[in-house]
Amino acid sequence: MKLSTDFYLQPDVVKISKDLLGKVLYTKINGIVTSAIITETEAYAGVTDKASHAYGGRRTKRTETMYQIGGTAYVYLCYGIHHLFNVVTNQANIPHAVLIRAVKPLEGTETMFLRRKKADLNRLTTGPGTLSQALGIGVQHSGISLLKDKIWIEDQGIQINPQKIQMGPRIGVDYAAEDALLPYRFYVHM
DNA sequence: CAGCAGATTGACT
DNA sequence: GTCAATCTGCTGC
């Protein structure tokens, strides 16, 4: 079943990050459905997190989406090339978000191969930029609701052994000083 | 307004 | 291991 608003409005973005492991991310682009199991996430804790685009309450055209209500998709362009997909959480005006860093392909893998061209199965959706490409997610989807039928997340009852959940510092945010050390990254090998 | 660095990836030495 | 690709937004002239 599709995750409800209540899930996205939880105040603890770190807990949501952990709970998203094992959930299934769906996209339906041009009528084509693809889905994948979430295996790696990172939490971005709003205005107090130096690694977040919304640190210090910054608002730009790009980050405006993070200030929307929980359950909104935030997609932005990184290094001018890669689309990174985030799930906005918490109430409106609180810019919490969870970055989806890796997923495991489930349905529509043929479509994913077409979108990724030269990639092999092991590298189809193993990074935040590549999973967006495989699922057909782009900046044009930033700001849409995850409660509708373009992009959404389902709980299919996939059980993750809590002992298998790894945690550690986030990737690629060394510039964020002490916040780079926070254990806000969660991942599970499947 | 120019310069630079970034929540990255893939191709090449 | 090194490096280019190329858009957004911050910093400083």
Side-chain angles (χ1 to χ4, degrees):
Chain A
M1 51 181 274
K2 199 177 290 189
L3 293 182
S4 67
T5 301
D6 289 345
F7 179 85
Y8 299 112
L9 293 187
Q10 295 175 90
D12 188 348
V13 65
V14 176
K15 176 182 185 301
I16 294 176
S17 299
K18 200 193 302 186
D19 286 348
L20 280 174
L21 294 175
K23 298 294 187 292
V24 182
L25 173 64
Y26 277 84
T27 63
K28 184 174 173 185
I29 313 292
N30 297 326
I32 302 174
V33 174
T34 52
S35 66
I37 305 168
I38 297 170
T39 59
E40 183 170 343
T41 63
E42 282 180 7
Y44 283 84
V47 298
T48 62
D49 186 349
K50 288 181 181 172
S52 171
H53 291 156
Y55 173 65
R58 274 189 313 220
R59 290 182 92 120
T60 65
K61 187 178 179 184
R62 180 177 70 159
T63 63
E64 190 63 30
T65 304
M66 295 183 83
Y67 290 84
Q68 293 191 33
I69 193 167
T72 301
Y74 170 48
V75 185
Y76 87 98
L77 203 56
C78 184
Y79 298 100
I81 299 176
H82 304 289
H83 302 278
L84 271 58
F85 173 70
N86 300 250
V87 176
V88 177
T89 70
N90 217 314
Q91 301 289 340
N93 291 314
I94 301 180
H96 286 187
V98 178
L99 168 69
I100 307 300
R101 284 197 65 86
V103 299
K104 181 183 174 63
L106 198 61
E107 301 171 52
T109 52
E110 291 178 13
T111 301
M112 296 185 201
F113 276 117
L114 287 176
R115 288 175 180 148
R116 296 273 295 121
K117 297 192 163 67
K118 299 173 182 173
D120 57 57
L121 181 60
N122 294 324
R123 299 192 163 203
L124 202 52
T125 57
T126 51
T130 59
L131 76 87
S132 298
Q133 188 181 8
L135 294 174
I137 297 171
V139 289
Q140 69 272 24
H141 301 118
S142 192
I144 71 169
S145 172
L146 297 175
L147 304 175
K148 300 194 173 167
D149 64 356
K150 178 86 79 176
I151 302 175
W152 69 96
I153 299 174
E154 289 189 15
D155 182 352
Q156 298 194 341
I158 297 172
Q159 297 292 319
I160 302 288
N161 183 341
Q163 295 184 336
K164 286 196 171 182
I165 296 178
Q166 315 273 319
M167 64 194 304
R170 291 171 295 186
I171 303 296
V173 294
D174 293 344
Y175 62 89
E178 71 277 8
D179 286 340
L181 301 176
L182 292 170
Y184 278 4
R185 172 172 174 250
F186 301 93
Y187 54 103
V188 58
H189 292 290
M190 301 187 70

